[in-house]
Amino acid sequence: MNKLMKSLPALALVLAATFAFAFSPKGESLSQFGEDSGQWIDVTGVTPGPSTYTCDAAVDAHCLYDAPNGNPLSPEEDKMFVNRGIADRK
């Protein structure tokens, strides 16, 4: 019985994580913006590539944000946004 009581917090954590993923909204696209020379470019739903944009390695830089002047989507990655023609097409 004592072992069961000790494992209850871990079980609760696993169940909470399972429910969080199971009941999170599906199909909502996360907004993505890149900053190029002071201009914010909406790249939501755009596939990175040689004719759109890339996220290249850089020190103390962020590639994509959740909004103009917003929060970095991957703050742990040191990458910068490189416009490769997407702004010309919008």
Side-chain angles (χ1 to χ4, degrees):
M1 183 76 166
N2 195 17
K3 280 186 170 182
L4 178 63
M5 295 301 280
K6 287 183 178 180
S7 64
L8 283 179
L11 178 61
L13 181 64
V14 169
L15 286 175
T18 302
F19 283 115
F21 285 111
F23 296 106
S24 62
K26 310 265 187 298
E28 291 183 22
S29 63
L30 182 67
S31 295
Q32 297 179 334
F33 292 84
E35 189 267 327
D36 180 33
S37 302
Q39 177 186 5
W40 288 96
I41 301 168
D42 184 356
V43 295
T44 305
V46 177
T47 303
S51 63
T52 56
Y53 74 93
T54 57
C55 292
D56 295 354
V59 177
D60 294 328
H62 302 296
C63 185
L64 298 176
Y65 295 79
D66 60 0
N69 298 313
N71 298 312
L73 293 178
S74 299
E76 68 282 353
E77 294 180 359
D78 286 334
K79 295 187 176 185
M80 68 178 188
F81 180 83
V82 179
N83 180 2
R84 305 223 180 257
I86 190 167
D88 300 332
R89 297 186 309 148
K90 286 198 168 197

